[in-house]
Amino acid sequence: MPKSIHSTQPPLKFISPRFNPLVLKIVSWFLPLILRVRTRPWLPAGIVKIEAKNAEILAKLYQEFQAGKVRFLIAFRHPEVEDPLSMLYLLSRIVPKVARAKGISLQYPVHSHFMYERGMTLWAGNWLGWLFSYVGGVPVRRGRRVDRNAIQMARDLFANAKMPIAIAPEGGTNGHSGIVSPLEPGVAQLSFWCVEDLQKANREETVFIIPIGIKYSYVNPPWSKIDWLLSKLEADSGLQVAEITQTGKQEEILYQRIFHIAGYLITEMEEFYRRFYHRDLPAITPEETDQPNDILITRLHRLMDTALQVCEQYFNVQPQGNFIDRCRRLEEAGWNYIYRDDITDINSLPPFKRGLADWVAEEADLKMQHMRIAESFVAVTANYIQEKPTAERFAETALLMFDMLSRIKESTLPGRPRLGLKQAMITVGEPISVSERWQLCQGNKQASRKGLSDLTNDLQVVLEELIKD
């Protein structure tokens, strides 16, 4: 995440893809090292092992793609920021290896264009935009009602490029390997458009969506590191650790601590919005049948709604859709205040107008922090840990709380603590034929809308199945 913004910024220009096979080859050479060290080269952390199930499905499809028989889109799960690296490893190493073992002939490169969120270059740096451009990336501004540059480029690449295209249909990370966030409709719409574009060009390729699940686990459960992280959260929160009963199994104790920290943070944030933003957040009186977890989640969702309302009222944005939809629109509204398309040359502004522009940008950046806090918890559920009290789920929940505290107490968001060595399991699902579905829903707009909705819902179900143990 970038440092706090104190001045207006130039507009976020579209970064056109300029695929360069040499750059891809160099990145692929260094990929195992990048996966291992990433942002913390001095810590024993990173991804040290990646395996795949059903990779021969992709190998066969790449062969048919290169023969001009099919077009396909890779729809992959997006739980963590490491996912693009995991996908690159799948395509550059695992799929070619499986193809050789199965006698499937493939041409280099086995790669894909991909869409990435334009804001990534804001916290990572402009170098990332350059790199993504040369390895086939297409930037998209998620909150825009229509990002024409991104849509037109993705549509053209899907139908005409020498490589398929990959998209995360969730639109962003949710920090949960075991939960798929609601899918955005863009994957289904692009797929239908591809069929239409091929039909208009009198081309006979069949269009598919290839669902891919990604799930991470620790090589060795980092219970001691989780304990350390919870102690840090307790200390940063000002909690009296002695209040927690240190009896029972390890998982029970850790869960009790997480529950205690979460309850404390929610209480403090409720009081923050009551006192300084004059919000009416009455105490919730539980029914006899209410479970403590459900009450906590009810309070969390009310708190998220309150934070988003504060942000929406400032930017004059109507609250529509689920939490994710609201966060996307607020992000775009904030960027419009900071990255000014309406200012031709910032440096040519007279001091008075420049001061006003800087004031607007700084205040917008502060207001967006309300949205960022809500954004961190969009996938949190009442029983995520209790359903499967694994080290991974404890770690994911604790790290989300770490993100929240970091946003509040730091001007920048520090890198997450790396709790241990991780491994990834990538599962390739059965191809979904879009061409067949497109044929069935032709005739009127209602049928087309239903077809898009059904395809999105079916893809959601498939992705959820792919990450089940």
Side-chain angles (χ1 to χ4, degrees):
M1 180 180 177
K3 293 181 179 179
S4 296
I5 293 173
H6 301 288
S7 61
T8 190
Q9 304 293 313
L12 293 174
K13 295 181 179 179
F14 181 75
I15 305 172
S16 298
R18 294 175 289 177
F19 178 68
N20 187 314
L22 179 59
V23 175
L24 174 64
K25 187 176 285 291
I26 293 172
V27 173
S28 298
W29 281 341
F30 288 98
L31 184 58
L33 179 63
I34 297 170
L35 283 164
R36 178 64 184 261
V37 301
R38 213 166 68 83
T39 58
R40 293 291 191 274
W42 59 88
L43 291 180
I47 300 175
V48 296
K49 182 179 180 182
I50 298 178
E51 296 180 320
K53 297 178 181 178
N54 308 326
E56 65 274 11
I57 293 176
L58 264 180
K60 292 176 182 177
L61 279 168
Y62 266 97
Q63 185 183 49
E64 293 181 358
F65 182 97
Q66 293 173 353
K69 298 178 180 179
V70 304
R71 308 293 298 182
F72 66 87
L73 180 152
I74 299 172
F76 65 95
R77 267 241 59 210
H78 199 12
E80 303 289 351
V81 294
E82 291 88 354
D83 301 334
L85 296 174
S86 299
M87 288 298 301
L88 178 57
Y89 191 93
L90 170 69
L91 297 182
S92 66
R93 293 174 180 261
I94 295 178
V95 170
K97 182 179 179 180
V98 169
R100 288 192 296 269
K102 299 288 186 180
I104 301 171
S105 177
L106 296 180
Q107 304 168 22
Y108 180 85
V110 179
H111 187 56
S112 73
H113 291 283
F114 59 94
M115 300 191 76
Y116 68 94
E117 203 267 307
R118 180 64 175 85
M120 291 181 67
T121 62
L122 302 181
W123 56 262
N126 291 331
W127 67 270
L128 188 67
W130 176 91
L131 177 63
F132 279 177
S133 172
Y134 279 99
V135 294
V138 179
V140 60
R141 290 178 63 163
R142 298 179 302 185
R144 280 191 169 178
R145 188 176 182 86
V146 179
D147 188 341
R148 297 188 183 279
N149 287 329
I151 291 173
Q152 290 173 359
M153 180 62 67
R155 182 171 180 173
D156 180 65
L157 291 173
F158 194 174
N160 301 307
K162 295 181 180 180
M163 303 182 295
I165 189 168
I167 300 176
E170 292 165 276
T173 62
N174 67 11
H176 288 67
S177 278
I179 296 177
V180 180
S181 293
L183 304 190
E184 297 181 359
V187 164
Q189 183 63 77
L190 278 173
S191 301
F192 272 33
W193 280 339
C194 184
V195 178
E196 293 175 5
D197 292 342
L198 296 179
Q199 292 274 338
K200 291 176 182 178
N202 295 317
R203 292 163 54 185
E204 297 181 353
E205 297 104 309
T206 304
V207 178
F208 292 100
I209 294 174
I210 314 304
I212 293 185
I214 303 177
K215 197 165 188 177
Y216 298 99
S217 61
Y218 289 98
V219 176
N220 296 302
W223 294 113
S224 62
K225 289 291 186 69
I226 295 171
D227 176 78
W228 165 83
L229 179 55
L230 293 180
S231 296
K232 177 175 175 56
L233 295 176
E234 289 161 346
D236 289 347
S237 303
L239 265 176
Q240 296 295 323
V241 182
E243 295 178 5
I244 302 171
T245 303
Q246 299 290 327
T247 60
K249 296 180 180 179
Q250 174 180 246
E251 292 85 349
E252 294 173 353
I253 294 172
L254 292 175
Y255 181 75
Q256 187 181 12
R257 292 172 68 187
I258 283 182
F259 189 85
H260 191 54
I261 296 169
Y264 177 81
L265 293 176
I266 290 173
T267 298
E268 288 294 308
M269 292 302 296
E270 286 173 339
E271 181 57 27
F272 171 74
Y273 282 108
R274 285 191 194 101
R275 180 178 178 184
F276 297 106
Y277 291 89
H278 318 294
R279 300 290 157 166
D280 183 20
L281 296 171
I284 295 177
T285 303
E287 302 289 340
E288 291 185 4
T289 56
D290 289 343
Q291 297 296 317
N293 281 1
D294 295 327
I295 298 171
L296 195 69
I297 290 298
T298 298
R299 292 174 62 200
L300 173 63
H301 287 173
R302 185 180 67 171
L303 182 63
M304 292 165 61
D305 180 58
T306 300
L308 293 177
Q309 285 181 24
V310 168
C311 202
E312 287 162 343
Q313 289 180 8
Y314 175 77
F315 290 113
N316 194 28
V317 172
Q318 293 301 312
Q320 297 177 353
N322 57 32
F323 285 132
I324 297 174
D325 297 332
R326 294 167 69 183
C327 288
R328 298 284 188 269
R329 283 197 297 275
L330 285 170
E331 181 178 64
E332 180 62 21
W335 284 3
N336 287 337
Y337 279 39
I338 298 169
Y339 305 94
R340 298 285 294 274
D341 291 311
D342 59 322
I343 299 177
T344 305
D345 182 6
I346 293 173
N347 295 323
S348 67
L349 291 176
F352 173 65
K353 289 189 175 182
R354 176 63 185 264
L356 290 177
D358 291 346
W359 187 355
V360 167
E362 184 172 16
E363 191 166 5
D365 182 59
L366 283 172
K367 284 295 187 290
M368 287 176 71
Q369 297 310 308
H370 298 279
M371 179 273 290
R372 295 299 181 198
I373 290 173
E375 185 181 41
S376 297
F377 297 97
V378 293
V380 174
T381 62
N383 300 310
Y384 185 61
I385 292 178
Q386 288 183 319
E387 289 173 351
K388 292 181 181 178
T390 61
E392 287 74 24
R393 296 196 176 198
F394 275 104
E396 289 170 357
T397 304
L399 287 169
L400 288 177
M401 290 193 288
F402 173 85
D403 290 346
M404 173 191 172
L405 283 171
S406 297
R407 292 187 188 280
I408 293 173
K409 68 187 183 70
E410 305 281 353
S411 61
T412 59
L413 187 60
R416 280 181 159 191
R418 314 293 275 175
L419 303 182
L421 299 174
K422 299 177 79 173
Q423 54 195 0
M425 175 56 71
I426 303 176
T427 306
V428 180
E430 291 295 328
I432 300 173
S433 175
V434 181
S435 298
E436 292 180 6
R437 290 170 177 260
W438 184 84
Q439 294 287 350
L440 294 174
C441 67
Q442 293 308 294
N444 56 66
K445 291 183 178 180
Q446 183 176 355
S448 180
R449 284 195 296 267
K450 185 177 185 304
L452 288 171
S453 177
D454 289 346
L455 179 54
T456 301
N457 292 336
D458 290 346
L459 180 58
Q460 173 102 31
V461 172
V462 172
L463 289 175
E464 289 171 351
E465 287 293 325
L466 290 177
I467 62 171
K468 285 185 177 180
D469 293 332

